[in-house]
Amino acid sequence: MSKDLIYQKGIVMIIVLKENPNPAELNSLRDWLRSLNLEVHYSQGSSTTLMGLIGDTSQIDLDMMKSLPVVDKALRIQDPFKKASIKFKPEPSVVKVDGVSFGDGSLPIIAGPCSIENESILMDVASSVKSNGAHMLRGGAFKPRTSPYSFQGMREKGLELLIAAKKKVGMPIVSEITEVSQIDLFEEVDLIQVGARNMQNFELLKELSKSKKPVLLKRSPAATIEELLMSAEYILNGGNENIILCERGIKTFETSTKNTLDISAIPVIKSKSHLPVIVDPSHGTGKNNLVIPMAMAAVAAGADGLMIEVHSAPHTALCDGPQALVPDEFAALSKKISNLKEHL
Amino acid sequence: MSKDLIYQKGIVMIIVLKENPNPAELNSLRDWLRSLNLEVHYSQGSSTTLMGLIGDTSQIDLDMMKSLPVVDKALRIQDPFKKASIKFKPEPSVVKVDGVSFGDGSLPIIAGPCSIENESILMDVASSVKSNGAHMLRGGAFKPRTSPYSFQGMREKGLELLIAAKKKVGMPIVSEITEVSQIDLFEEVDLIQVGARNMQNFELLKELSKSKKPVLLKRSPAATIEELLMSAEYILNGGNENIILCERGIKTFETSTKNTLDISAIPVIKSKSHLPVIVDPSHGTGKNNLVIPMAMAAVAAGADGLMIEVHSAPHTALCDGPQALVPDEFAALSKKISNLKEHL
Amino acid sequence: MSKDLIYQKGIVMIIVLKENPNPAELNSLRDWLRSLNLEVHYSQGSSTTLMGLIGDTSQIDLDMMKSLPVVDKALRIQDPFKKASIKFKPEPSVVKVDGVSFGDGSLPIIAGPCSIENESILMDVASSVKSNGAHMLRGGAFKPRTSPYSFQGMREKGLELLIAAKKKVGMPIVSEITEVSQIDLFEEVDLIQVGARNMQNFELLKELSKSKKPVLLKRSPAATIEELLMSAEYILNGGNENIILCERGIKTFETSTKNTLDISAIPVIKSKSHLPVIVDPSHGTGKNNLVIPMAMAAVAAGADGLMIEVHSAPHTALCDGPQALVPDEFAALSKKISNLKEHL
Amino acid sequence: MSKDLIYQKGIVMIIVLKENPNPAELNSLRDWLRSLNLEVHYSQGSSTTLMGLIGDTSQIDLDMMKSLPVVDKALRIQDPFKKASIKFKPEPSVVKVDGVSFGDGSLPIIAGPCSIENESILMDVASSVKSNGAHMLRGGAFKPRTSPYSFQGMREKGLELLIAAKKKVGMPIVSEITEVSQIDLFEEVDLIQVGARNMQNFELLKELSKSKKPVLLKRSPAATIEELLMSAEYILNGGNENIILCERGIKTFETSTKNTLDISAIPVIKSKSHLPVIVDPSHGTGKNNLVIPMAMAAVAAGADGLMIEVHSAPHTALCDGPQALVPDEFAALSKKISNLKEHL
């Protein structure tokens, strides 16, 4: 037993053992930890024994550790993510998407319809948002819908229309991927969106980590900020550093909004990670009258950009377009944001 | 059975009955509803029967209604609050607290220590925040603490110190009440705070409704916005219209903040009620590095004021003062907010 | 700096400091901790410094500690409650309420109407539940209702009826208190219920700690199990050991039940505390068809008793009686529970 | 305008319009609804207009409807799922997996390690659980892990070992799929598990709907019961009726358990759907000392089966095996469950 356990090198995880742990189980735990190349130090109190670990504990699942029969509590002293951490890279990352920069204070706005429905509506919206200050065009082709009876998106054909709009109007585009096998279809898409429901589709994340194509990673409504950063770590670990995070609301007991948009996630992420973070107030609230105030709040709290649904005729949209702003409302928002960012 | 049930007058609640309801129970429900002076209309579909109610349904508890053996679903068409509703009073209410106005766009800042600990610290903080732009002084005398072993506040003596500070520095004061029997002690307190843990202490709300003394009603971390407005309704219904609401975070699964500050509550409340709403980013986040960004977000989203903890020496505070800003940080916040509100 | 910090005596709290903490703030923290009679030990790693505390940390608020500018993380190694802890008293406490025992495996059932409405209904229900196996009679006189327009209970008159029923039928009674000033009225009430909304009404808890009168402490829908045990600690710390805990559902995003009944709270509480715990499946689910299966689940998981709403004519009840079981259903439940407890 | 809107045929959705809706938007909404082959009826009150819809509204997203600028509230009178509904098929479905039946009261237990690590451990556990009453063998080959640095499973090789164990020990097997492209590998797996993180991986659900291979669909920690049933609807709608649902805990603010196991989901699902539902208390609680009491609670509440992690040497497991029961504990659980189900 070491009397100076934490002193010399820096403990990275502390484990509080249960009283009177089974010695065989305890030895087995120690042996397993050593097999992970961790130094294990003990510290015996009057009624409690602590273990201090030195080394790389990133492969240890903290929930697993807490569930061990001999373990009472466990505390990770270093965050479980490494390449996403501000300690790994203290300066903010700037992600460039075909000339549009996220993370350098320029605060771009991504706008467009929730789902692509036909060419003329898409072109109308694209021209309209461009002339009103949007920097990128969004449009969903593969739509993950709660119900099998809801419109599932135009799929390949929708992507083709979006790519056509990109060329005609001259804005980089973003669209959502829902399956590994679709990756080839996204070659001309400038920013690939991983939607909230796929934030922990790790097979997809691993595939997206293999190229340098920028990824927009949306937070799942059930994910902690740490889990979001761990999903980003999958992409970073595979070699792709072009990641933009997106807050879009978490599930809570409140029913007057579809989700509770967690604005505090912005400064929290900035205190832990170098990655840029944008906000989607359309899905985050589910109410079109809340989009503008929440977009303002996001920018005032330090967001690196916004993602806004805009529709030329929201009441005829096939998808959740109806919660979208109409072009006039988007123009108003764009002006307000532009004014706000000059005075923060 | 009426064929034109909803047409003539306006249904205020719709009840979807279970299939094949027990006739005796159904009659009993109908008789009870009629005893509340409600008109009851039926509408028979192929497999589902609806009931439409006309009249004042505010005394009906919707959860109770949904739990009835013959009821499948129930929908309230009008909000359950009346005097707090924007339909009752469409123009925003302005609440004046000894010359400081909440709800008229002036956006006052309440600042001061979490708890009152001694005279010299209190006077220091009071002078400091006043000279840096605060409009009101806060300070806790009766402290509701999770643990019986934590400092419980200076109680009567604390209130006396706060009242002395008010006179010396010249700012209206706010402090928290925790029990009906304390009301007389609050005569010289300009704004009585009902803390989150007492938001549904209805005996206390009823007592506070009996005078015109302004009340700062904080949202419980477990309350929906509707429940907050129902608690305000208790005070309004008793005759006191001087109510300021305060958002201070809700309980969620996220662990990187103490609570999740629900910024969207601001525009939601403004769409439903005429009452002013302020935000407490100190308790809402529990992290002093999040106070400034979340204060900015609150103001950008339309808050009518802020409540900020400030402490002259946060690391020696007895209560949760340590999460407070120090005077320099408060001065910076005050300047940023002042600049921001000019450009919204 | 100590090299053997944790070895000799047993660290009870570990504090992970931020990198490069402000030395003045750090000294100030250390001085404050020492003023609480705590030994403070440091341990310097390559990038992280830990502080280990030895002594009684129960007066420290962990959220406050985490919010300190120099603190990154904090871990309590011992639970913050003392007298409620199984370490303080390893054998289960048995709370006797006028001959009915909670915590000894006898598994009593408390039954009766949600609110007392008139003498004849109360007497009917009382006789009925007694003959069907209930051990105690419940009935609400002071009703905390979300809406000021809902029935607020018969108050003093209701308590009188309940006491009359107790004498006539011969069962101990339980009723809810909502305000300190009501305590004298509860002299003949055998078990005083602190409702979920008052679980953190600490002034009330302190008053109830002054006698030996048994207290039924219901978990708030927003309280963690630790917070529930801290509220029990208030009562224990004042000298009253006769506490029965009650799980009745927590707030979650799920909407098909009023609350989510946290059955796992039963074994969790039993692993941390000696206090008996019962379950209220009526309020926990808000649906009368869920009462029986959830009562069964509670008993199978180890609950020390049940609290069930029963009404002779649920569809005419003024309060949330309608979610109550009718006497026949209660008789069925009582039989099922009786059979179940023989085979666990 | 129709005066007898709801009378004749059965309204399936009611829409409460905002006051003074924009007439063009209202007409546009009406036209869109009619384009979906819905009958639209109006009902004009003093201040509120209702719309009643007759027809098949399953393709309408309720959140989208609520977010429309002219819509205040919306209520679905029929559940959005059809083939999963108890109205579509009132008798309980029995799903047979190679001779093991779920939904007929036989209450099978699935047991085995969280992840497959090597042949000898797997064979040991398989033999052990079989001799102690398990009916099926579980084992993870493709492991969705929060961290890219955690063990990701043995993948193809793991599946091969599991299939070998099936043949040797003679128990049907279940394993988790994480990607559409893996389907061919699962030909000899008797029950394909869709894990909580993939519950809304709709591309995967659609693929699984194309065969008759039984699917174990786990509830996401962030999914409502309705969302779980909508995911089942994807599989049913594609033609595969062999679905077993699994409750395994939802995300809440409580921190003493990893998730909050929602036992009430069992009777709620049974009141809405004909599909069998089992419970996984290992992942639902994350604590091995809670597995037995929560397994008992699940069975007492009406679960159709259990899924239990068992490991021959939990303290050496590479995955979250450590939270698993050891064989002796599993034998005890198996006996308790067997006794319990005879006395419900």
Side-chain angles (χ1 to χ4, degrees):
Chain A
M1 285 219 196
S2 161
K3 289 197 177 184
D4 53 352
L5 76 120
I6 301 171
Y7 183 70
Q8 290 163 316
K9 283 170 136 193
I11 294 287
V12 294
M13 184 180 285
I14 289 174
I15 299 167
V16 184
L17 298 176
K18 288 204 178 125
E19 284 186 50
N20 307 316
N22 178 303
E25 289 181 347
L26 189 54
N27 288 340
S28 172
L29 171 60
R30 182 201 57 205
D31 295 346
W32 175 62
L33 292 169
R34 287 184 180 161
S35 77
L36 300 174
N37 289 319
L38 295 167
E39 278 184 47
V40 181
H41 297 265
Y42 293 86
S43 173
Q44 177 66 51
S46 56
S47 70
T48 310
T49 302
L50 303 185
M51 263 182 172
L53 306 185
I54 294 172
D56 180 358
T57 59
S58 59
Q59 74 270 54
I60 297 180
D61 184 276
L62 198 65
D63 283 331
M64 176 278 276
M65 184 59 74
K66 288 177 183 171
S67 74
L68 280 167
V70 296
V71 171
D72 187 32
K73 294 175 184 181
L75 178 71
R76 199 184 277 285
I77 289 166
Q78 290 183 338
D79 285 325
F81 41 87
K82 295 193 283 194
K83 292 174 182 161
S85 172
I86 203 165
K87 291 186 181 170
F88 180 82
K89 179 171 179 295
E91 68 278 15
S93 289
V94 176
V95 176
K96 299 211 175 191
V97 182
D98 192 20
V100 177
S101 294
F102 292 83
D104 65 353
S106 59
L107 224 149
I109 302 178
I110 303 169
C114 175
S115 71
I116 299 158
E117 291 162 28
N118 68 52
E119 190 174 357
S120 73
I121 292 180
L122 181 64
M123 291 300 172
D124 277 3
V125 176
S127 308
S128 161
V129 297
K130 188 176 186 192
S131 65
N132 282 306
H135 305 82
M136 281 186 67
L137 178 65
R138 59 159 290 162
F142 297 94
K143 299 299 303 172
R145 309 298 308 276
T146 304
S147 168
Y149 309 115
S150 295
F151 175 56
Q152 306 277 316
M154 290 182 74
R155 306 180 69 90
E156 286 83 345
K157 179 70 190 154
L159 269 194
E160 285 166 23
L161 292 181
L162 187 66
I163 292 165
K166 163 190 176 173
K167 289 174 181 167
K168 190 160 175 195
V169 183
M171 278 198 288
I173 55 176
V174 55
S175 197
E176 180 171 357
I177 194 169
T178 59
E179 229 275 306
V180 169
S181 65
Q182 296 158 2
I183 283 186
D184 290 347
L185 300 171
F186 280 72
E187 200 176 318
E188 293 188 71
V189 175
D190 304 283
L191 176 62
I192 301 183
Q193 176 180 322
V194 175
R197 290 185 183 85
N198 281 303
M199 190 199 89
Q200 293 193 323
N201 183 335
F202 302 117
E203 306 291 343
L204 181 58
L205 300 181
K206 285 179 203 168
E207 279 304 308
L208 294 172
S209 77
K210 293 177 183 167
S211 79
K212 297 291 183 191
K213 174 79 79 177
V215 175
L216 179 65
L217 181 64
K218 293 189 115 178
R219 181 182 182 188
S220 158
T224 60
I225 293 168
E226 185 176 299
E227 288 169 327
L228 172 62
L229 290 170
M230 290 308 291
S231 286
E233 189 80 13
Y234 264 92
I235 304 173
L236 287 163
N237 190 46
N240 186 351
E241 297 171 358
N242 295 309
I243 304 168
I244 302 164
L245 305 173
C246 181
E247 161 64 31
R248 43 81 78 213
I250 59 174
K251 283 218 178 174
T252 71
F253 62 81
E254 176 59 55
T255 54
S256 66
T257 43
K258 190 169 151 192
N259 292 295
T260 296
L261 193 64
D262 181 8
I263 293 290
S264 58
I266 304 163
V268 169
I269 288 172
K270 295 210 160 288
S271 72
K272 289 174 180 279
S273 179
H274 52 88
L275 294 171
V277 55
I278 70 171
V279 171
D280 174 350
S282 303
H283 284 93
T285 63
K287 301 268 184 189
N288 82 323
N289 65 319
L290 302 181
V291 172
I292 292 181
M294 295 311 287
M296 294 290 280
V299 170
D304 294 305
L306 293 169
M307 187 165 195
I308 307 285
E309 281 187 19
V310 180
H311 205 285
S312 60
H315 27 294
T316 62
L318 299 179
C319 171
D320 38 6
Q323 81 197 31
L325 300 185
V326 291
D328 283 358
E329 292 168 321
F330 178 72
L333 173 142
S334 184
K335 241 179 247 169
K336 283 175 82 78
I337 294 295
S338 182
N339 186 44
L340 174 62
K341 72 179 172 185
E342 301 302 317
H343 296 95
L344 290 177
Chain B
M1 288 226 194
S2 161
K3 289 196 178 185
D4 53 353
L5 76 121
I6 302 171
Y7 183 71
Q8 289 162 316
K9 283 170 135 193
I11 294 287
V12 295
M13 184 180 285
I14 289 174
I15 299 166
V16 183
L17 297 176
K18 288 204 177 123
E19 285 186 49
N20 306 316
N22 177 303
E25 289 181 349
L26 188 55
N27 287 341
S28 173
L29 171 60
R30 181 200 58 204
D31 294 346
W32 174 61
L33 292 169
R34 286 184 180 161
S35 78
L36 300 174
N37 288 319
L38 295 167
E39 279 183 47
V40 180
H41 298 264
Y42 292 87
S43 174
Q44 177 66 51
S46 56
S47 69
T48 310
T49 303
L50 304 184
M51 262 182 172
L53 306 185
I54 294 172
D56 180 358
T57 58
S58 59
Q59 75 270 53
I60 296 180
D61 184 275
L62 198 66
D63 283 330
M64 175 278 277
M65 184 59 74
K66 288 176 182 171
S67 74
L68 280 167
V70 294
V71 171
D72 185 33
K73 294 175 185 182
L75 177 73
R76 199 184 276 285
I77 289 167
Q78 289 184 337
D79 285 324
F81 41 87
K82 295 194 282 195
K83 290 173 183 164
S85 172
I86 203 165
K87 291 186 182 171
F88 181 82
K89 180 170 179 296
E91 68 279 15
S93 289
V94 176
V95 175
K96 299 210 175 192
V97 182
D98 193 20
V100 177
S101 294
F102 293 83
D104 65 354
S106 59
L107 224 148
I109 302 179
I110 303 170
C114 174
S115 72
I116 299 157
E117 290 161 29
N118 68 52
E119 190 174 357
S120 73
I121 292 180
L122 181 64
M123 290 300 172
D124 278 2
V125 176
S127 307
S128 161
V129 298
K130 187 176 186 191
S131 65
N132 282 307
H135 305 82
M136 282 186 66
L137 178 65
R138 59 159 289 163
F142 298 94
K143 298 301 302 174
R145 307 300 306 277
T146 303
S147 168
Y149 309 115
S150 296
F151 175 57
Q152 306 277 315
M154 291 182 73
R155 304 181 69 91
E156 287 83 344
K157 180 67 190 157
L159 269 193
E160 285 166 24
L161 292 180
L162 187 67
I163 293 164
K166 164 191 176 173
K167 288 173 183 167
K168 191 159 174 194
V169 182
M171 277 199 289
I173 56 176
V174 54
S175 197
E176 180 171 356
I177 193 168
T178 59
E179 229 276 307
V180 168
S181 65
Q182 296 158 2
I183 284 186
D184 290 346
L185 300 170
F186 280 73
E187 200 176 319
E188 293 188 70
V189 174
D190 304 284
L191 176 62
I192 301 183
Q193 176 179 323
V194 175
R197 290 185 182 85
N198 281 303
M199 190 200 89
Q200 293 194 321
N201 183 335
F202 302 117
E203 306 291 340
L204 181 57
L205 300 181
K206 285 179 203 168
E207 279 303 307
L208 294 171
S209 77
K210 293 177 182 168
S211 80
K212 298 290 183 191
K213 174 79 80 178
V215 175
L216 179 65
L217 181 64
K218 293 189 115 178
R219 181 182 183 187
S220 158
T224 60
I225 293 168
E226 185 176 298
E227 287 169 329
L228 172 63
L229 290 170
M230 290 308 291
S231 285
E233 189 79 13
Y234 263 93
I235 305 173
L236 287 162
N237 191 45
N240 186 352
E241 297 171 358
N242 295 309
I243 303 168
I244 302 165
L245 305 173
C246 182
E247 162 63 30
R248 42 82 77 214
I250 60 174
K251 281 216 180 176
T252 70
F253 61 81
E254 175 59 55
T255 54
S256 65
T257 45
K258 191 168 150 192
N259 294 295
T260 296
L261 194 64
D262 181 9
I263 294 288
S264 58
I266 304 163
V268 169
I269 289 172
K270 295 211 160 289
S271 72
K272 290 175 180 279
S273 178
H274 52 87
L275 294 171
V277 55
I278 70 171
V279 170
D280 174 350
S282 303
H283 283 93
T285 63
K287 301 268 185 190
N288 81 325
N289 65 319
L290 302 181
V291 171
I292 292 181
M294 295 310 287
M296 295 290 280
V299 169
D304 294 306
L306 293 168
M307 188 165 196
I308 307 286
E309 281 187 19
V310 180
H311 204 285
S312 60
H315 28 293
T316 62
L318 299 179
C319 171
D320 38 7
Q323 80 196 32
L325 300 185
V326 291
D328 283 358
E329 292 169 321
F330 178 72
L333 174 143
S334 184
K335 241 178 248 168
K336 283 176 82 79
I337 294 294
S338 182
N339 186 43
L340 175 61
K341 72 178 171 184
E342 301 302 317
H343 297 95
L344 290 177
Chain C
M1 287 221 195
S2 162
K3 290 196 177 183
D4 54 351
L5 74 120
I6 302 172
Y7 183 71
Q8 289 163 315
K9 282 170 137 193
I11 294 287
V12 295
M13 184 180 284
I14 289 175
I15 299 167
V16 183
L17 297 176
K18 287 203 177 126
E19 285 187 49
N20 307 315
N22 178 305
E25 289 181 348
L26 188 53
N27 289 340
S28 174
L29 171 60
R30 182 200 57 203
D31 294 346
W32 175 62
L33 291 169
R34 286 182 181 164
S35 77
L36 300 175
N37 289 318
L38 295 166
E39 278 184 47
V40 180
H41 297 265
Y42 293 88
S43 174
Q44 178 66 51
S46 55
S47 70
T48 310
T49 303
L50 304 184
M51 262 183 173
L53 307 185
I54 293 171
D56 180 358
T57 58
S58 59
Q59 75 269 54
I60 297 180
D61 184 277
L62 198 67
D63 283 329
M64 175 277 275
M65 183 59 73
K66 289 177 182 170
S67 74
L68 280 166
V70 296
V71 172
D72 186 34
K73 296 176 183 180
L75 176 73
R76 200 185 277 284
I77 289 166
Q78 290 184 336
D79 285 324
F81 41 88
K82 296 193 284 194
K83 292 173 182 162
S85 172
I86 203 166
K87 292 186 182 171
F88 181 81
K89 181 172 178 295
E91 66 279 15
S93 289
V94 176
V95 176
K96 299 208 177 193
V97 182
D98 194 20
V100 177
S101 293
F102 292 83
D104 65 352
S106 59
L107 225 149
I109 302 179
I110 304 170
C114 175
S115 72
I116 298 158
E117 290 161 30
N118 68 52
E119 191 173 357
S120 73
I121 292 180
L122 181 64
M123 291 300 171
D124 278 2
V125 176
S127 308
S128 161
V129 298
K130 188 175 186 192
S131 64
N132 283 307
H135 306 82
M136 282 187 64
L137 178 66
R138 58 159 292 161
F142 298 95
K143 298 300 305 172
R145 308 300 307 277
T146 305
S147 167
Y149 309 116
S150 296
F151 175 57
Q152 307 277 314
M154 290 182 73
R155 305 180 69 90
E156 286 83 344
K157 180 67 190 155
L159 270 193
E160 285 166 23
L161 292 180
L162 187 66
I163 292 164
K166 164 191 177 174
K167 289 173 182 166
K168 192 161 175 194
V169 182
M171 276 199 290
I173 55 175
V174 54
S175 197
E176 180 170 357
I177 193 169
T178 59
E179 229 274 306
V180 168
S181 65
Q182 296 158 3
I183 284 185
D184 289 346
L185 301 170
F186 280 72
E187 201 175 319
E188 293 188 70
V189 175
D190 304 283
L191 176 62
I192 302 183
Q193 176 179 323
V194 175
R197 291 185 182 86
N198 281 303
M199 190 201 88
Q200 292 194 322
N201 183 335
F202 301 117
E203 305 291 341
L204 180 58
L205 300 181
K206 285 179 202 168
E207 280 304 307
L208 294 172
S209 78
K210 293 177 183 169
S211 80
K212 298 291 183 189
K213 173 79 81 180
V215 175
L216 179 64
L217 182 64
K218 293 189 117 178
R219 181 181 182 187
S220 157
T224 59
I225 292 168
E226 184 176 301
E227 288 169 328
L228 171 64
L229 290 171
M230 290 308 291
S231 286
E233 189 79 13
Y234 264 93
I235 304 173
L236 287 162
N237 191 45
N240 186 351
E241 297 170 359
N242 296 308
I243 303 168
I244 302 164
L245 305 172
C246 182
E247 161 64 31
R248 43 80 79 214
I250 59 174
K251 282 217 179 177
T252 71
F253 62 80
E254 176 58 57
T255 54
S256 65
T257 44
K258 191 168 149 192
N259 293 294
T260 296
L261 193 64
D262 182 8
I263 293 288
S264 59
I266 303 162
V268 169
I269 289 172
K270 295 211 159 287
S271 72
K272 289 173 180 279
S273 178
H274 52 87
L275 294 171
V277 55
I278 70 171
V279 170
D280 174 350
S282 303
H283 283 94
T285 63
K287 301 268 185 189
N288 81 326
N289 64 319
L290 303 181
V291 171
I292 292 180
M294 295 311 286
M296 295 290 281
V299 170
D304 294 306
L306 292 168
M307 189 166 195
I308 307 286
E309 282 188 18
V310 180
H311 205 283
S312 59
H315 28 291
T316 62
L318 298 179
C319 172
D320 38 6
Q323 82 197 32
L325 301 185
V326 291
D328 284 357
E329 292 168 319
F330 177 72
L333 173 142
S334 185
K335 242 179 249 169
K336 283 174 82 79
I337 295 294
S338 183
N339 185 44
L340 175 61
K341 73 179 170 185
E342 301 303 317
H343 297 94
L344 290 177
Chain D
M1 290 223 194
S2 161
K3 289 195 177 185
D4 53 352
L5 75 121
I6 302 171
Y7 183 71
Q8 289 162 315
K9 283 169 137 195
I11 294 287
V12 295
M13 185 180 283
I14 289 175
I15 299 167
V16 183
L17 298 175
K18 287 204 178 125
E19 285 187 49
N20 307 316
N22 177 304
E25 289 181 347
L26 189 53
N27 288 340
S28 173
L29 171 60
R30 182 200 58 205
D31 294 346
W32 175 62
L33 292 169
R34 287 183 180 162
S35 77
L36 300 175
N37 288 318
L38 295 166
E39 279 184 47
V40 181
H41 297 266
Y42 293 87
S43 173
Q44 177 65 51
S46 56
S47 70
T48 309
T49 302
L50 304 184
M51 262 182 172
L53 306 185
I54 293 172
D56 180 358
T57 58
S58 59
Q59 74 269 55
I60 296 180
D61 184 276
L62 198 66
D63 283 329
M64 175 276 277
M65 184 59 74
K66 288 177 181 170
S67 74
L68 280 167
V70 296
V71 171
D72 187 31
K73 295 175 185 181
L75 177 72
R76 199 185 278 284
I77 289 166
Q78 290 183 336
D79 285 324
F81 41 89
K82 295 193 284 196
K83 291 172 182 162
S85 173
I86 203 166
K87 292 186 181 170
F88 180 81
K89 180 171 178 296
E91 68 278 15
S93 289
V94 176
V95 176
K96 298 209 177 193
V97 182
D98 193 21
V100 177
S101 294
F102 292 83
D104 65 353
S106 58
L107 225 148
I109 302 179
I110 302 170
C114 175
S115 71
I116 298 157
E117 291 161 29
N118 68 53
E119 191 174 357
S120 73
I121 292 181
L122 181 63
M123 291 300 170
D124 278 2
V125 176
S127 308
S128 162
V129 299
K130 188 174 187 195
S131 65
N132 283 306
H135 305 81
M136 282 187 66
L137 178 66
R138 58 158 291 161
F142 298 95
K143 299 299 304 173
R145 308 299 307 277
T146 304
S147 167
Y149 308 116
S150 296
F151 175 57
Q152 307 276 314
M154 290 182 74
R155 306 180 71 89
E156 286 83 346
K157 180 68 190 154
L159 269 193
E160 284 166 23
L161 292 180
L162 187 65
I163 292 164
K166 164 190 176 173
K167 289 173 182 167
K168 191 161 175 194
V169 183
M171 277 198 291
I173 55 174
V174 54
S175 197
E176 179 170 358
I177 193 169
T178 60
E179 230 275 306
V180 168
S181 65
Q182 296 158 2
I183 283 187
D184 290 346
L185 301 170
F186 281 72
E187 200 175 319
E188 294 188 68
V189 175
D190 304 284
L191 176 62
I192 301 184
Q193 176 179 323
V194 175
R197 291 186 183 86
N198 281 303
M199 191 200 89
Q200 293 194 322
N201 183 336
F202 302 117
E203 305 291 343
L204 181 57
L205 300 181
K206 285 179 203 167
E207 280 303 308
L208 294 172
S209 78
K210 292 177 183 169
S211 79
K212 297 292 183 190
K213 173 79 81 180
V215 175
L216 178 64
L217 181 64
K218 292 189 115 177
R219 181 182 182 186
S220 158
T224 60
I225 293 168
E226 184 176 299
E227 288 168 328
L228 172 63
L229 290 171
M230 291 307 291
S231 286
E233 189 79 13
Y234 264 93
I235 304 173
L236 287 163
N237 191 45
N240 186 350
E241 296 171 358
N242 295 309
I243 303 167
I244 301 165
L245 305 173
C246 182
E247 161 65 30
R248 43 82 77 215
I250 59 173
K251 282 217 180 177
T252 71
F253 61 81
E254 176 59 56
T255 53
S256 65
T257 43
K258 190 168 148 192
N259 293 294
T260 296
L261 193 63
D262 182 8
I263 294 288
S264 58
I266 303 162
V268 169
I269 288 172
K270 295 210 159 288
S271 72
K272 290 174 180 278
S273 179
H274 52 87
L275 295 171
V277 55
I278 70 171
V279 170
D280 174 350
S282 304
H283 283 93
T285 63
K287 301 268 185 191
N288 82 324
N289 65 319
L290 302 181
V291 171
I292 292 181
M294 296 310 286
M296 295 290 281
V299 170
D304 293 306
L306 293 169
M307 188 164 195
I308 307 286
E309 282 187 19
V310 180
H311 204 284
S312 59
H315 28 293
T316 62
L318 299 179
C319 171
D320 37 7
Q323 82 197 31
L325 300 186
V326 291
D328 283 358
E329 292 168 320
F330 178 72
L333 174 142
S334 184
K335 242 178 249 169
K336 284 175 81 79
I337 294 295
S338 183
N339 186 43
L340 175 61
K341 72 179 171 184
E342 303 302 317
H343 297 96
L344 291 177

